[in-house]
Amino acid sequence: MNHRRGDIVGRTSLSTPRPPAGHHRTRGLALASAALLLLGGTAVATPAYAAVPFEVQSLDGSRNNVAQPTWGKAGTAYARVAPARYADGVGAPPAGPNSRFISNRIFNDVNQNVFSEHRVTQWGFTWGQFLDHTIGLRDGAGPTATPANIPFNPADPLESFTNTLGVIPFTRSAATAGTGTGTGNPRQQTNTLSSYIDAGTVYGETGQRLDWLREGSADGNPANNSARMLLPDNYLPRRTSRGNAATAPAMDVDGRLRANPNNAAVAGDVRANENLALTATHTLFAREHNRIVSLLPSSLSEEDKFQIARRIVIAEQQYVTYNEFLPAMGVSLPSYTGYKPEVNASLTNEFATIGYRAHSQIHGEVEVESERERYTDDQLAAFRAQGIEVETDGDDVELAVPLNVAFFNPDLVPAIQLGPLMKAIGAESEYNNDEQIDNQLRSVLFQVPVSGNPDCLDGPDLPQCFRGVVDLGAIDVERGRDHGLPTYNQLRQAYGLAPQTSFAAITGEAGDTFPADPLLTPGNEINDPNSLDFTKLFDIDGTPVVPGADNGTRAVRRTPLAARLRAIYGSVDKVDAFTGMIAEPHVPGTEFGPLQLAIWTSQFQALRDGDRFFYGNDPGLSQIKATYGIDYRRTLAQIITSNTDIPASALNPNVFLVPDADLPSAKCRVVYAIDRSLPKYFEGSVKITNLGTTPINGWNLKWRFANGQTITLIVNARDSQRDADVTLTNSFFNAIIPAGGTLSAIRFIGKWDDTTNAKPPNFTLNNARCATG
């Protein structure tokens, strides 16, 4: 089956924050009766929390920082790293090249798939979105959220889509109340969610939403709720699950779901229906909450059980993020040294609007391989009718779900089943984090295809299926202008990076001029469709493959990216921050260029260090483990195995990495082990196996630490470490590793922070990729 490039994105719908429900309760305080709070003249039941042996974290992020109780709170303005940049200094977006014009020349992948160079699976973007929907959602409604549609030029020679709308719809983010009054008080934007990694995707930001999501009566009083999340048939509830859909929490509806909005699944975040991978992940963690509840003794009150399970789920989301997700992406943080109340964990505008938009990574389809007996003939026929490719092979079946079919289609999750979906997300590589965005996001985001044409939902035939254009890449550029964010060079300087002085310096290419090529129009190369041709393609090991192949991780086009940027912008200092950021070559060992890596590093360190409830600060977690034997330190694979019928043997232990068996054969294998953990130190070992047919004579082994670890003592190798990057070199007596032989005597002592000690995800031996495990 063909792989198609695509993207799954965070919506920008309004989720109006409400006052926090109740107050913290600590050990020794009895369960209080529900209080009544007068809101706008209406009496609303405000739940009080139970007597659990730890402080209960607020739903909306308030009071996380005791001295600064609004830091990170839902409904507050995004923080800024750099000053706002508006055309008038107040709130008018700065001018720039038409963003669809940019998109057609920079973001257009012309249906060539380019995959992650570090074998990051689709869990990279799926977890990224699940996390994004935990910590950020701009306010996109109200009188200041005015239309600012992007002009569409049907005569553009690089345009392949029909747009009967005539424009690309775009609405400005609402201005934070009280801002935009003058140059001394420029327009700001509001984050409607808590900035903290607090499993808000599971529980929501308000007591009202949480009350509906829990089993029991939905009357605003958790004292009469069950500890369990409402999961009819073990899947997310629908808006009709409690009878009257009008009383259900608001959920975003688009695409196919518009025809039946009451069928929307309900979860902690309004965007849970955006795509089936996201809906499935919401389902997984609601199940995980209920699984933890089932492990707690019946002698506990329902509220105690609920709060203990919530504490564990929050810590699990944090642990997976810092132990698996960020290391797989190549983000290295310094060692954790404890909670720092002076650190503001609020999401920054630069991170939320530019830095965290890695839309190029999103895979264009989800490929599910499962047992044929899971599905009836009628189900398979229904899948085909929706545009899902179905292939059967004896007792097995493969379903390829195009991204467009996966959008706002919550029925697919129980139909395909949670286990096969969880396995599928971790079975195949996501796309490379580059400047190329698939047309399913770059041109037809969330749109419903024309009727009677189910076979053009991806690939080169996609324009035949749609009559409107919604371009996520163009919107990303426009949103940066809307929020008054700096130019590319200004943003580099804000993050401590030197400004670039040429377009070739941005992209890392040899030059920024168009080549003399008979297939290009001299003097008008920027408008020539042949300028986007792919001329070279390489696989994960640098081996050339034929352009158009489906296993490339690096590509070369007919014209340099730098030349196209130069033709569009003219001056390096006019490049939009988003465009320049994704045009940068990657820092070795990471999925990011220098600017995006700096933005991620800064924000995720603040989210860790400025969170009083971060798992490394141990807010009640050791008490829970000591009392009930429940530990939050679980991998995503373990969480999947515990909540589905997929056994551990069917998953890679680190689901963020493609299994070695699904990659080209490596010529070496590395087994990295943490043999013993001690306070501040750990003992580790490394085994190197030569899988080649000739001896290795002299070697150096490289990896990247993710959590500030350092090697302090090593035997049978020489080591050097520069920041996170480690290089081991052979000693004089073990330089030769025979063909098929294993060098197993390398042992070391390392220093760690007693909080996170992720295993390095990737290794190279003499600059060649090694298999792991």
Side-chain angles (χ1 to χ4, degrees):
M1 293 186 180
N2 293 329
H3 305 280
R4 303 298 184 195
R5 175 184 288 277
D7 197 354
I8 303 177
V9 301
R11 291 282 286 179
T12 54
S13 301
L14 175 66
S15 176
T16 305
R18 300 177 182 174
H23 302 281
H24 299 304
R25 291 291 185 265
T26 54
R27 180 186 294 274
L29 297 181
L31 179 64
S33 302
L36 291 180
L37 178 66
L38 196 64
L39 291 176
T42 302
V44 178
T46 303
Y49 290 124
V52 291
F54 50 81
E55 181 182 352
V56 172
Q57 187 171 356
S58 67
L59 292 171
D60 66 357
S62 61
R63 304 183 303 277
N64 186 307
N65 189 303
V66 176
Q68 301 288 343
T70 63
W71 278 5
K73 180 181 180 294
T76 57
Y78 289 104
R80 285 190 186 264
V81 175
R85 180 183 70 99
Y86 291 110
D88 59 358
V90 181
N98 175 274
S99 52
R100 177 65 176 181
F101 182 90
I102 296 170
S103 177
N104 280 338
R105 288 151 181 80
I106 303 299
F107 310 147
N108 190 350
D109 72 353
V110 297
N111 304 300
Q112 173 65 65
N113 301 328
V114 182
F115 292 89
S116 166
E117 64 203 287
H118 298 112
R119 68 188 182 113
V120 180
T121 68
Q122 295 184 70
W123 272 114
F125 67 76
T126 299
W127 187 264
Q129 188 183 29
F130 185 64
L131 186 61
D132 173 47
H133 292 189
T134 300
I135 59 179
L137 174 61
R138 70 180 183 90
D139 184 347
T144 58
T146 54
N149 295 329
I150 301 167
F152 180 85
N153 178 15
D156 185 343
L158 270 66
E159 187 59 68
S160 58
F161 283 81
T162 300
N163 187 7
T164 57
L165 298 173
V167 296
I168 297 172
F170 180 82
T171 301
R172 297 199 68 186
S173 298
T176 302
T179 69
T181 61
T183 55
N185 180 31
R187 182 178 179 127
Q188 307 292 353
Q189 292 75 32
T190 302
N191 183 4
T192 66
L193 300 185
S194 159
S195 291
Y196 298 100
I197 302 175
D198 59 3
T201 39
V202 180
Y203 305 107
E205 305 288 314
T206 69
Q208 291 90 336
R209 178 176 288 267
L210 177 57
D211 189 51
W212 194 97
L213 289 169
R214 289 174 62 174
E215 288 183 356
S217 61
D219 59 1
N221 179 13
N224 54 29
N225 281 136
S226 163
R228 293 169 50 85
M229 304 300 289
L230 181 64
L231 289 178
D233 298 322
N234 219 15
Y235 286 93
L236 292 179
R238 304 303 175 93
R239 298 192 74 238
T240 55
S241 291
R242 289 188 178 273
N244 184 1
T247 64
M251 297 299 298
D252 281 355
V253 171
D254 210 331
R256 291 164 173 78
L257 201 51
R258 282 186 179 274
N260 187 13
N262 288 339
N263 195 43
V266 183
D269 183 74
V270 298
R271 297 159 288 181
N273 294 279
E274 272 190 7
N275 64 79
L276 87 162
L278 179 64
T279 309
T281 307
H282 275 272
T283 307
L284 176 71
F285 277 85
R287 285 188 184 184
E288 173 68 355
H289 173 97
N290 287 354
R291 185 192 70 85
I292 296 168
V293 168
S294 72
L295 300 177
L296 294 169
S298 58
S299 57
L300 290 175
S301 72
E302 293 298 297
E303 186 66 9
D304 278 351
K305 288 189 287 186
F306 173 82
Q307 295 298 349
I308 291 168
R310 176 174 174 245
R311 162 63 67 237
I312 291 292
V313 169
I314 290 172
E316 287 178 335
Q317 188 185 34
Q318 295 171 347
Y319 186 74
V320 170
T321 297
Y322 287 89
N323 192 64
E324 295 185 292
F325 171 61
L326 293 177
M329 301 297 284
V331 177
S332 295
L333 299 179
S335 297
Y336 181 67
T337 56
Y339 170 62
K340 296 176 175 57
E342 72 277 10
V343 173
N344 185 354
S346 296
L347 227 57
T348 68
N349 219 321
E350 291 82 359
F351 175 83
T353 308
I354 293 176
Y356 204 50
R357 297 189 177 226
H359 294 140
S360 176
Q361 296 174 327
I362 311 305
H363 202 297
E365 66 183 13
V366 176
E367 293 190 7
V368 178
E369 296 181 3
S370 191
E371 304 85 4
R372 170 65 180 81
E373 64 184 6
R374 282 185 184 268
Y375 313 109
T376 67
D377 291 341
D378 287 344
Q379 282 181 304
L380 295 182
F383 291 154
R384 290 189 180 97
Q386 293 187 64
I388 297 173
E389 297 177 55
V390 179
E391 289 187 6
T392 57
D393 182 10
D395 294 333
D396 300 320
V397 64
E398 183 174 344
L399 311 174
V401 186
L403 199 58
N404 185 269
V405 178
F407 288 145
F408 290 97
N409 198 349
D411 286 345
L412 281 182
V413 177
I416 294 174
Q417 299 177 29
L418 188 62
L421 280 172
M422 295 289 97
K423 179 182 176 183
I425 297 169
E428 192 171 18
S429 176
E430 69 178 10
Y431 292 130
N432 198 25
N433 182 34
D434 53 26
E435 79 284 359
Q436 299 161 47
I437 301 174
D438 184 270
N439 270 324
Q440 293 193 63
L441 276 298
R442 200 189 69 83
S443 293
V444 298
L445 176 66
F446 298 145
Q447 295 189 73
V448 177
V450 296
S451 61
N453 202 358
D455 297 324
C456 60
L457 295 179
D458 56 10
D461 297 330
L462 195 66
Q464 300 174 26
C465 261
F466 298 89
R467 296 294 176 264
V469 170
V470 179
D471 183 342
L472 180 64
I475 290 171
D476 286 340
V477 172
E478 212 67 36
R479 189 66 65 200
R481 298 170 182 174
D482 170 34
H483 285 209
L485 292 180
T487 64
Y488 165 70
N489 262 340
Q490 289 170 340
L491 193 58
R492 280 182 60 91
Q493 289 176 290
Y495 280 90
L497 303 171
Q500 301 288 24
T501 57
S502 71
F503 289 98
I506 295 175
T507 66
E509 295 168 301
D512 60 7
T513 59
F514 289 109
D517 190 311
L519 293 180
L520 297 175
T521 306
N524 195 33
E525 295 91 344
I526 192 61
N527 294 317
D528 192 326
N530 290 328
S531 66
L532 299 180
D533 294 343
F534 285 88
T535 58
K536 296 180 182 179
L537 193 66
F538 303 88
D539 73 7
I540 195 169
D541 294 317
T543 303
V545 296
V546 178
D550 215 32
N551 61 340
T553 64
R554 184 172 69 86
V556 177
R557 307 187 91 158
R558 190 172 301 280
T559 60
L561 174 59
R564 284 177 274 132
L565 288 172
R566 183 171 177 262
I568 292 169
Y569 286 101
S571 167
V572 172
D573 290 329
K574 294 181 179 179
V575 175
D576 290 286
F578 175 78
T579 308
M581 178 190 75
I582 62 176
E584 293 183 333
H586 291 176
V587 175
T590 81
E591 298 286 288
F592 307 108
L595 176 56
Q596 193 169 25
L597 182 61
I599 296 172
W600 278 52
T601 301
S602 174
Q603 185 68 72
F604 279 105
Q605 186 173 350
L607 288 171
R608 181 192 70 175
D609 295 351
D611 184 355
R612 186 160 57 91
F613 295 94
F614 182 67
Y615 72 83
N617 204 37
D618 197 17
L621 295 168
S622 59
Q623 290 175 283
I624 293 172
K625 184 179 179 182
T627 306
Y628 306 111
I630 303 173
D631 195 351
Y632 66 89
R633 287 171 290 198
R634 287 162 51 79
T635 66
L636 185 52
Q638 290 170 328
I639 294 171
I640 292 170
T641 298
S642 297
N643 292 283
T644 71
D645 57 359
I646 301 299
S649 59
L651 299 173
N652 205 24
N654 186 339
V655 296
F656 288 89
L657 303 176
V658 173
D660 288 304
D662 295 333
L663 297 171
S665 298
K667 296 182 178 179
C668 52
R669 175 182 292 113
V670 173
V671 177
Y672 174 102
I674 299 172
D675 300 314
R676 188 165 64 135
S677 294
L678 304 166
K680 299 300 180 184
Y681 290 91
F682 68 102
E683 296 177 2
S685 60
V686 177
K687 296 180 181 179
I688 305 171
T689 300
N690 179 2
L691 301 178
T693 57
T694 59
I696 295 172
N697 189 353
W699 52 266
N700 65 77
L701 179 70
K702 296 181 179 179
W703 71 75
R704 185 177 179 86
F705 274 134
N707 312 112
Q709 304 99 319
T710 56
I711 293 178
T712 59
L713 178 67
I714 193 165
V715 295
N716 296 327
R718 294 173 292 167
D719 73 288
S720 64
Q721 184 170 348
R722 182 174 181 179
D723 297 326
D725 297 312
V726 176
T727 300
L728 301 190
T729 306
N730 62 271
S731 296
F732 71 93
F733 54 84
N734 62 4
I736 297 176
I737 307 177
T742 297
L743 179 62
S744 59
I746 303 171
R747 304 187 65 81
F748 65 90
I749 295 176
K751 188 174 181 179
W752 71 303
D753 57 12
D754 292 341
T755 300
T756 307
N757 195 6
K759 293 183 179 180
N762 294 293
F763 298 84
T764 62
L765 187 70
N766 295 345
N767 297 318
R769 175 184 61 88
C770 292
T772 59

